[in-house]
Amino acid sequence: IGKISYGDMELYKSQRLESCSSAGVNIDLRALRAFFNYCIRMGLIAKSPLADVKLVKEKAPTVRFLSSTEISALLGVIDDAGDVCARDLVQFYLNTGARANEILSPSFTWDSVKDGYIELFGKGDKTRRIGLNSMMKDILISRRHLEHPFPYSHDYVYSRIVRKYYKRAGIENANLHTLRKTAGALLIQQGNSIYQVSKFLGHGSVMVTER
């Protein structure tokens, strides 16, 4: 351990970057830094060879949301398949900005549907209200015969929408959470303030929405 130098660590960092992301390399460096600091406390070394090694500058992640063309393509392949349930789900996600599980059973029940709005239970048992527009009302009315508005598991919905219909629509690098981000992006594009969108999505801070 005492023979490991600053140069060794810089070489290690550059070599790791050839096969690993910046975030992954930084995880390695933080783990090694903790190890060397432990070695200092144990009296094995006087100074950490990572003391002057800087973490790799990470690029801000690109927020993935669906374009209007992708939304049309997605709804198109769903309609071609005659899958009313999948269309209801996609439209409900886009109109509520709900997290994947927030509108699926058992979280979302008919008790969650109120007069003119719905209640969604999010992270930390926080509850937020989403007003019902005409499309959402029609969807809920058409599903009143079911035990829950959307009596499906996350795995079932993921398989049906992402693996099946995203693929058919040519949508890549997207998941169910992409629909939530798309709902937020559409509201911003329509001229709503970042504060309104933050409250709508149930973010703990407007900084989360800005990112």
Side-chain angles (χ1 to χ4, degrees):
I1 296 171
K3 295 180 180 180
I4 300 174
S5 67
Y6 164 81
D8 292 329
M9 297 314 305
E10 284 289 1
L11 179 61
Y12 168 80
K13 184 173 76 171
S14 63
Q15 289 178 340
R16 284 291 286 141
L17 282 170
E18 295 176 2
S19 60
C20 187
S21 67
S22 297
V25 172
N26 284 340
I27 290 173
D28 287 352
L29 293 176
R30 290 188 183 99
L32 286 168
R33 183 165 289 167
F35 168 71
F36 287 127
N37 287 339
Y38 171 79
C39 290
I40 292 173
R41 291 195 301 271
M42 296 298 293
L44 300 176
I45 55 176
K47 181 181 177 181
S48 169
L50 270 172
D52 299 318
V53 177
K54 295 182 179 179
L55 295 178
V56 182
K57 188 174 182 179
E58 298 179 28
K59 294 181 179 179
T62 301
V63 177
R64 176 69 167 106
F65 59 89
L66 302 184
S67 66
S68 57
T69 301
E70 288 177 320
I71 294 173
S72 296
L74 176 61
L75 294 175
V77 296
I78 291 174
D79 287 343
D80 289 344
D83 195 334
V84 177
C85 292
R87 174 176 256 278
D88 286 352
L89 272 167
V90 169
Q91 291 286 22
F92 223 75
Y93 277 124
L94 292 176
N95 280 273
T96 61
R99 296 179 179 87
N101 284 328
E102 286 180 338
I103 61 172
L104 303 179
S105 60
S107 299
F108 189 61
T109 69
W110 287 113
D111 289 336
S112 306
V113 181
K114 310 298 182 181
D115 186 17
Y117 66 92
I118 58 174
E119 288 184 336
L120 297 181
F121 298 92
K123 291 182 178 179
D125 294 327
K126 292 182 180 179
T127 304
R128 71 182 186 281
R129 294 180 176 182
I130 303 293
L132 292 172
N133 58 28
S134 58
M135 177 182 290
M136 293 161 65
K137 289 179 181 178
D138 290 342
I139 289 174
L140 290 171
I141 290 172
S142 69
R143 305 180 70 79
R144 266 293 180 183
H145 62 285
L146 299 172
E147 182 179 359
H148 290 79
F150 299 101
Y152 316 115
S153 67
H154 179 277
D155 289 345
Y156 174 79
V157 173
Y158 183 90
S159 177
R160 196 166 187 173
I161 294 178
V162 177
R163 292 180 178 172
K164 184 177 181 180
Y165 294 122
Y166 276 17
K167 185 175 181 180
R168 289 186 183 180
I171 297 172
E172 299 179 344
N173 302 318
N175 52 31
L176 283 178
H177 199 68
T178 304
L179 295 175
R180 172 172 163 81
K181 292 180 179 179
T182 301
L186 291 174
L187 289 173
I188 292 293
Q189 291 167 9
Q190 292 164 9
N192 294 280
S193 74
I194 193 74
Y195 299 99
Q196 290 173 312
V197 176
S198 183
K199 186 174 182 180
F200 177 79
L201 294 176
H203 286 158
S205 167
V206 71
M207 293 176 65
V208 177
T209 317
E210 288 174 340
R211 287 199 300 270

